[in-house]
Amino acid sequence: MTDSDFLRVCALDELPEGEAVAADIHGTSIVLVRRGDEAFALYDECSHAAVALSEGDVEDCQIECWLHGSSFDLRTGKPSGPPATEPVPTYPIEVRDGDVYLSLKPKTTENA
């Protein structure tokens, strides 16, 4: 992946710590989460019941869907248990000089 694959999304300090933030990046619904000096990006839709993950709660390195309680790992998108059985796509993020950059090319399971 090259620098040209990444888009500047926001400054890291614009993301509230440990909260889910919805963003529309070139027509793709993304949920962004900041944890310390890191940021994570997932597709903003639960794989179990097509609702926005950005409306859920963040705890540790998990985001929980508000509708049925499925939780997904912020790093991999993998569910921690039922009712969701399929992961949600995650997107590469880089923090450069205090700014958050995102690639809209989803991570694969090999590089998640």
Side-chain angles (χ1 to χ4, degrees), residues 7-25:
L7 308 164
R8 184 189 178 279
V9 176
C10 63
L12 182 64
D13 61 9
E14 292 175 342
L15 293 175
E17 174 72 31
E19 292 183 29
V21 175
D24 183 296
I25 313 291

Side-chain angles (χ1 to χ4, degrees), residues 29-103:
S29 295
I30 302 288
V31 57
L32 299 165
V33 177
R34 175 184 176 188
R35 293 197 24 93
D37 292 335
E38 291 184 285
F40 302 91
L42 294 88
Y43 186 63
D44 193 13
E45 185 175 281
C46 178
S47 62
H48 168 252
V51 298
L53 289 174
S54 58
E55 295 177 19
D57 293 322
V58 175
E59 188 171 324
D60 296 325
C61 220
Q62 300 275 325
I63 188 165
E64 182 181 50
C65 177
W66 63 270
L67 187 59
H68 295 117
S70 292
S71 289
F72 300 89
D73 189 294
L74 295 174
R75 299 162 294 208
T76 65
K78 293 179 182 174
S80 60
T85 58
E86 295 295 320
V88 293
T90 58
Y91 298 87
I93 287 250
E94 292 182 2
V95 178
R96 303 180 200 154
D97 299 321
D99 289 327
V100 177
Y101 290 82
L102 167 103
S103 171

